[in-house]
Amino acid sequence: MLKGIHPAISPELLKILAEMGHGDELVLSDAHFPAHQLHHQVIRADGLPIATLLEAISPLFEFDQYVEAPLAMMSAVPGDTLDPAVEERYLAAIRKVNGDAPKVERVERFAFYDRAEKAYAVVVTGETAKYGNIIIKKGVTPVF
């Protein structure tokens, strides 16, 4: 355990966050996401909701300020509907730490999978919300 590091951040996730460079993306996936099919670098965070991880990651992670939307979530498949409370829960977790939250873009399901394949890593969580996956893009970390 380290001071100032949220207990939801595992040593493996902390290592991944430190290794990522600006422009790299991290997928926080729900429990149903085909992570192992899509990616070779999968971290397990079973039992944790994505909002908890976003709150834990946000103090350590600079969201990319050079893109319009450093957050991406999956669009609903035609005939389905999104629960707006899911996105709001995620943004509230980021705002709790940062005071503000970056813009979210919606991405078609298979385009989202394509981005997930190219991401730095995928974190499989215990999230059960439908369309609960989110991609976060890392920005340039300011100099202290």
Side-chain angles (χ1 to χ4, degrees):
M1 193 74 146
L2 296 172
K3 287 173 60 176
I5 304 292
H6 192 287
I9 303 282
S10 69
E12 187 178 17
L13 179 54
L14 187 60
K15 177 184 180 289
I16 292 297
L17 293 171
E19 288 174 348
M20 291 174 66
H22 60 84
D24 282 341
E25 294 185 327
L26 180 68
V27 179
L28 302 180
S29 81
D30 63 30
H32 310 287
F33 192 76
H36 292 279
Q37 175 191 348
L38 294 173
H39 213 283
H40 65 281
Q41 186 157 248
V42 177
I43 300 168
R44 303 297 302 199
D46 298 298
L48 291 175
I50 287 177
T52 299
L53 277 176
L54 285 169
E55 184 178 335
I57 290 169
S58 291
L60 309 172
F61 192 95
E62 191 70 29
F63 294 100
D64 195 335
Q65 61 272 43
Y66 298 114
V67 296
E68 186 176 334
L71 306 177
M73 294 183 72
M74 196 180 289
S75 297
V77 173
D80 259 354
T81 57
L82 295 174
D83 178 357
V86 176
E87 181 178 321
E88 185 46 45
R89 195 167 52 248
Y90 294 176
L91 296 179
I94 295 169
R95 280 190 211 103
K96 185 175 180 181
V97 175
N98 292 353
D100 196 13
K103 185 176 177 187
V104 177
E105 70 174 309
R106 287 287 173 172
V107 180
E108 184 272 333
R109 177 183 174 201
F110 293 105
F112 190 96
Y113 291 159
D114 288 343
R115 275 180 75 173
E117 286 180 332
K118 296 174 187 142
Y120 193 83
V122 177
V123 180
V124 178
T125 72
E127 184 65 54
T128 58
K130 194 172 186 180
Y131 298 106
N133 309 297
I134 187 167
I135 296 172
I136 61 176
K137 183 183 281 282
K138 189 172 185 182
V140 177
T141 304
V143 179
F144 294 97

